[in-house]
Amino acid sequence: MGAAHQPVLYHEIMQALQPKNKGYYVDCTLGAGGHALGILNASKPEGKLLGIDVDPQALALARETLAPHERRSLLLQRSYTRLSEILQDIQWPLVNGIVLDLGASSMQFDTPKRGFSFREDAPLDMRFDPAQPQSAADLINTYSEAELAEIIFRYGEERAARRISKAILRERPIHTTGQLASLIEKLLPRKGMRVHPATRTFQALRIAVNDELGTIEKVLPQAVQALAPGGRLAIISFHSLEDRLVKQYFRHESRDCICPPRQPICTCEHKASIKEIVRKPIRPGDEEIAQNSRARSARLRIAERISG
C-alpha cells in the first residue's frame, strides 16, 4: 500500500467486494486509503465506509485521500481486533464488504524512522501503533536466547535462528536496524543472494512486536459475524503464515460438519457460515509486479457470508 503505488490487488479487491450504492463497507487496514477510495467511488452516491488503522501516520494520509468523501466515511484509530465493538458503538447494521490488507504497508517500509526496513540505519522500532509499549529494540535487548530463537524460527522460518539469537546476545545492546542487519550479514554472508540475509529475521521481529498472527485469529470470526448474508470478506496476505491462518479458517467455516473424517455420524452440529469464492488464492499479474515488486508475494482470498 502507500502513496507510491496503487494498492496491491486493487482491481481484484473491487471485483471481490462489488461495492454498491447504499452499501456499508469496512477497510480494517486503512493505510493511505487506496482501497477505501475505490470502495467509496464505486458505492456512490450513498455508500458508507468505516476505515480503521492503528497507525496515526496512515490515518493522516487517508484523511487527505478521502477528504472528498468525508460525509460518507468514518476514520478511526483503532485495532481491527475490536471490530465488533466498533460497529456496535457506531450502530452500523450488518455490512456488505470487509477488506483486510495484512502486514506492514509500503508507507511504513518507506519511512526510515519507523524501523521496518534495513535499507537505512534507523531506530529498531517496527510498531504499527507507536503508542504500544514494546518496540523491536525492547524485544531484542530483553528476551532470552531461547525466546529470540523461537521467534526468529517460528515467524521468520529462518533455519539459522539459533545462530542469529546467539550472535544477538553477544552484541547486545542493539538499537538500530543497521546494527542488526550488519550483525546478520556477517553471520550469513550474502554470496550473491538477491534477498538480504536479515529479511527473515526482520519479518519475524515485526510479526512478534505487533502480534500479527494473534490479531488475525481475533478478527476473522468478528469479520464473518459482521457480514450481512451475501456480504464478502476479502483478505490480502503477504507470507505463508498469514495465508495459512486465513485458508484454514475459511475451510473450517465453509463446512457443515467438522467431525473427524472417519467418524460415521456427525455430532458437531457445526453449520457453514461462509462459502469460499476462490479455492486457490488470487495472485498479482506480471504487470502489477513489474510496477510494484512488493506485490510479488501477495495472495488474496475471498469468502461470502451465507447465513445470518
Side-chain angles (χ1 to χ4, degrees):
M1 297 184 298
H5 306 285
Q6 190 174 66
V8 171
L9 292 167
Y10 173 84
H11 297 291
E12 291 82 356
I13 287 287
M14 293 304 114
Q15 180 62 33
L17 297 185
Q18 300 174 5
K20 295 177 175 60
N21 179 34
K22 298 185 179 180
Y24 287 79
Y25 301 92
V26 183
D27 189 338
C28 287
T29 46
L30 185 61
H35 288 128
L37 181 61
I39 292 169
L40 285 163
N41 282 332
S43 64
K44 290 178 180 177
E46 295 298 331
K48 292 181 170 58
L49 176 120
L50 167 65
I52 56 180
D53 206 299
V54 295
D55 186 340
Q57 180 188 12
L59 277 168
L61 285 173
R63 290 190 196 284
E64 294 181 13
T65 301
L66 305 180
H69 305 284
E70 185 177 6
R71 180 181 64 85
R72 298 190 291 123
S73 58
L74 174 63
L75 310 185
L76 301 174
Q77 186 181 353
R78 302 278 189 89
S79 167
Y80 58 61
T81 60
R82 300 171 63 188
L83 178 60
S84 297
E85 175 189 327
I86 296 168
L87 290 171
Q88 184 175 6
D89 286 348
I90 65 175
Q91 297 183 325
W92 266 27
L94 294 175
V95 304
N96 304 103
I98 298 174
V99 60
L100 284 119
D101 187 354
L102 302 172
S105 69
S106 294
M107 174 192 62
Q108 289 164 332
F109 278 117
D110 293 339
T111 307
K113 67 180 182 180
R114 302 296 298 273
F116 286 96
S117 172
F118 42 75
R119 288 180 302 177
E120 296 184 47
D121 195 25
L124 195 56
D125 194 322
M126 300 192 189
R127 292 172 293 180
F128 291 161
D129 178 359
Q132 76 180 56
Q134 181 174 259
S135 68
D138 295 326
L139 188 154
I140 280 285
N141 291 308
T142 60
Y143 278 31
S144 69
E145 181 182 318
E147 289 171 327
L148 287 173
E150 171 65 16
I151 286 170
I152 296 168
F153 180 76
R154 181 182 176 194
Y155 298 145
E157 300 178 296
E158 172 58 74
R159 288 178 293 179
R162 290 187 178 181
R163 292 171 59 198
I164 292 170
S165 64
K166 284 180 182 292
I168 287 171
L169 261 71
R170 285 198 305 267
E171 297 293 327
R172 291 198 310 201
I174 297 170
H175 295 295
T176 72
T177 57
Q179 283 179 278
L180 181 59
S182 177
L183 179 155
I184 296 171
E185 191 168 12
K186 289 176 184 175
L187 192 68
L188 307 172
R190 296 187 74 164
K191 296 180 180 177
M193 291 172 56
R194 183 177 62 84
V195 178
H196 194 286
T199 300
R200 292 178 181 272
T201 298
F202 270 66
Q203 172 186 295
L205 292 173
R206 193 200 77 220
I207 291 172
V209 165
N210 297 289
D211 187 25
E212 292 182 41
L213 301 186
T215 60
I216 295 170
E217 290 176 332
K218 290 174 183 174
V219 75
L220 287 172
Q222 295 182 61
V224 169
Q225 291 162 15
L227 289 171
R232 288 188 171 183
L233 171 59
I235 303 180
I236 301 172
S237 58
F238 287 86
H239 58 74
S240 60
L241 297 175
E242 293 174 336
D243 184 60
R244 193 177 305 141
L245 281 177
V246 177
K247 174 184 174 180
Q248 290 173 348
Y249 186 82
F250 279 9
R251 295 284 154 88
H252 183 276
E253 292 304 314
S254 61
R255 293 167 56 192
D256 275 334
C257 174
I258 54 173
C259 291
R262 295 185 180 181
Q263 183 171 309
I265 301 174
C266 175
T267 58
C268 68
E269 299 183 352
H270 184 269
K271 295 297 181 184
S273 58
I274 58 173
K275 66 177 180 181
E276 291 184 274
I277 300 302
V278 289
R279 290 287 287 181
K280 291 186 177 181
I282 297 170
R283 308 295 293 266
D286 293 339
E287 183 178 345
E288 179 170 4
I289 292 171
Q291 294 174 354
N292 179 7
S293 61
R294 288 175 183 153
R296 183 180 291 107
S297 58
R299 306 173 180 116
L300 170 63
R301 293 188 184 271
I302 310 159
E304 184 177 295
R305 183 77 153 137
I306 60 173
S307 62

